[in-house]
Amino acid sequence: MAESLETLREEVLDRIARCATEPEIEDLRVEYLGRKGRLTLLLRGLKDLPPEERPQAGERLNQLRRLAEEKLAARLAQVKAREKERILREETVDITLPGSRWERGRMHPLTLVMDEIIDVFLGMGFEVARGPDIEDDYHNFEALNMPKDHPARDMQDTFFVSQDRLLRTHTSPVQIRVMESRRPPLQIIAPGAVYRHDDDATHSPMFHQVEGFMVDGHISFADLKGVLTHFIRRIFRPETKLRFRPSFFPFTEPSAEIDMQCVLCGGEGGKREGSACRVCKGSGWLEILGAGMIDPQVFKFVGYDPERVSGFAFGMGVERIAMLKFGIEDIRLFFQNDLRFLRQFV
Ligand code: FA5
């Protein structure tokens, strides 16, 4: 017994000395001192020894257990101290290194312009309404006085989702949705994304419009003119002039396309400089929106009496306004997510 205890003592001390990590120390503790540890079992086995051998063997086993406990604790402290030193040595922070910069996000130029447009109309007492991007044929065309065979449907190359569902080609269906659910007086703008099979420097397959309409007992073309003139003067310069050109939309009668004085040449068309202005191509005017008095036929679709109510409506392209405001010549720049472009707008 004495001899085997001596061997065990050497083995335990040797193994403790070779432990290099905290888990190794813990494993060793369990192996020797745990509930089924080798030393624990030996202590429990004392009762099977002849009574005269028990005191001495017990004494020696207890000594060995205390020694193992002390050595394990000491080794643990040593390993922990070494680990701390290693962390301090390897993970030091060089506070002289330059910090990493946090890029500040900013608003997309179209969001800036959209918010500005909405603000101007809110200031005139308009409310904001929204409609679905995926529309049905009825709201996008039919109720806007464009039956299935109407040639005006071809003016807006449509993305169809199914026979009856499509990506809305304009924000005008929101007029129908609002009028179906509410009664006049109404003074609404409907901003949102619209979709057309169109793609070049001034046309994008997805772009944004802001629809506006006012319906009440005696709304006239003069109201339309007043609202749009105020709007353009707030968004551009206070002295900007507007020009109303006769046009055609199936859902307004009479209809107009509205041009504003060119933002670059101020309506001169570049004549003074001797070459045509690159923004308005020398005409001095820029088309910015379509508008008109809501067609009586549309009122009938939503159950209003055209004898009792009248109203105007308009729809503008937000990208076009942003291009004029910031002097951008290619609409595709808005959608390429090039940070060098986007960083210019605050
Ligand atoms: C319409 O969409 C009518 N719903 C506007 C309207 C509303 C008229 C209410 C009368 C009453 P139009 O197809 O012209 O009209 O488009 C309106 C504006 O959207 C255009 O003036 C132009 O600024 C813009 N736009 C049209 N197609 C594109 C496109 N592919 N990319 C960018 N902007 C476009």
Side-chain angles (χ1 to χ4, degrees):
M1 173 86 185
E3 208 168 293
S4 61
L5 270 184
E6 192 47 42
T7 321
L8 187 60
R9 182 175 181 277
E10 271 168 28
E11 177 195 310
V12 171
L13 296 184
D14 178 53
R15 288 189 64 190
I16 293 176
R18 281 192 281 123
C19 279
T21 65
E22 286 187 49
E24 278 175 26
I25 295 173
E26 177 57 16
D27 286 350
L28 214 58
R29 193 191 63 72
V30 172
E31 186 179 333
Y32 287 101
L33 304 171
R35 267 194 326 119
K36 291 185 182 157
R38 284 167 63 189
L39 278 173
T40 317
L41 291 180
L42 281 174
L43 275 161
R44 266 193 223 139
L46 279 175
K47 61 180 184 328
D48 303 327
L49 286 180
E52 65 279 10
E53 285 181 25
R54 276 185 217 156
Q56 206 194 3
E59 167 81 31
R60 297 194 62 186
L61 263 176
N62 272 320
Q63 266 177 8
L64 180 52
R65 193 182 64 175
R66 277 195 300 275
L67 182 69
E69 279 170 353
E70 278 163 23
K71 291 285 178 192
L72 278 170
R75 187 68 190 154
L76 185 64
Q78 220 174 21
V79 165
K80 277 188 174 170
R82 263 192 217 155
E83 180 62 8
K84 196 168 166 188
E85 254 173 54
R86 187 193 64 76
I87 289 173
L88 285 174
R89 195 174 54 246
E90 288 178 11
E91 298 181 11
T92 45
V93 178
D94 183 352
I95 55 167
T96 63
L97 285 174
S100 49
R101 282 171 71 93
W102 284 76
E103 280 283 348
R104 261 188 45 210
R106 54 188 84 206
M107 294 284 203
H108 190 278
L110 288 177
T111 311
L112 290 173
V113 171
M114 185 69 110
D115 285 352
E116 200 178 334
I117 294 173
I118 293 173
D119 267 0
V120 174
F121 284 108
L122 289 181
M124 286 190 271
F126 281 74
E127 280 176 62
V128 176
R130 308 228 177 226
D133 285 26
I134 299 178
E135 259 302 357
D136 52 41
D137 188 276
Y138 178 78
H139 288 92
N140 197 83
F141 292 125
E142 201 96 23
L144 286 162
N145 208 18
M146 281 183 272
K148 288 262 176 331
D149 54 355
H150 199 289
R153 286 191 176 210
D154 297 340
M155 282 159 61
Q156 306 178 354
D157 277 325
T158 311
F159 290 117
F160 282 92
V161 176
S162 67
Q163 190 78 13
D164 180 53
R165 302 220 164 252
L166 44 90
L167 296 179
R168 65 178 177 189
T169 56
H170 52 173
T171 42
S172 299
V174 185
Q175 281 185 46
I176 304 298
R177 289 189 176 274
V178 171
M179 290 195 282
E180 276 173 343
S181 60
R182 292 172 57 176
R183 312 301 300 170
L186 295 172
Q187 204 174 331
I188 308 279
I189 52 163
V194 299
Y195 309 83
R196 289 183 198 180
H197 196 281
D198 242 353
D199 199 0
D200 60 34
T202 52
H203 294 83
S204 163
M206 189 281 299
F207 61 102
H208 298 82
Q209 286 189 341
V210 173
E211 187 85 4
F213 59 102
M214 194 187 269
V215 184
D216 203 352
H218 303 283
I219 302 294
S220 72
F221 210 94
D223 296 310
L224 170 65
K225 199 171 171 192
V227 165
L228 290 179
T229 305
H230 175 75
F231 163 70
I232 288 300
R233 291 185 173 172
R234 285 289 307 277
I235 295 285
F236 294 97
R237 280 195 294 255
E239 64 279 6
T240 312
K241 287 207 178 88
L242 289 188
R243 184 171 78 172
F244 287 67
R245 257 185 309 111
S247 182
F248 173 79
F249 295 103
F251 33 94
T252 47
E253 181 59 37
S255 305
E257 267 174 338
I258 289 140
D259 304 334
M260 61 178 259
Q261 261 178 340
C262 177
V263 275
L264 193 70
C265 64
E268 297 280 333
K271 284 174 216 118
R272 277 200 202 151
E273 289 76 34
S275 64
C277 167
R278 71 183 159 82
V279 173
C280 65
K281 310 280 181 287
S283 73
W285 296 94
L286 296 161
E287 185 207 313
I288 45 157
L289 49 87
M293 300 307 290
I294 298 174
D295 196 294
Q297 205 57 37
V298 172
F299 284 142
K300 286 188 192 155
F301 272 107
V302 295
Y304 287 5
D305 180 353
E307 298 298 323
R308 288 167 174 258
V309 295
S310 60
F312 66 72
F314 57 84
M316 67 183 85
V318 176
E319 282 75 3
R320 295 281 163 81
I321 304 238
M323 287 166 87
L324 293 174
K325 239 180 123 59
F326 299 130
I328 294 164
E329 286 181 41
D330 193 327
I331 196 170
R332 291 167 289 207
L333 285 166
F334 289 123
F335 305 110
Q336 285 162 350
N337 286 335
D338 185 334
L339 287 177
R340 289 166 303 178
F341 171 74
L342 296 174
R343 276 201 190 107
Q344 300 173 80
F345 308 93
V346 264

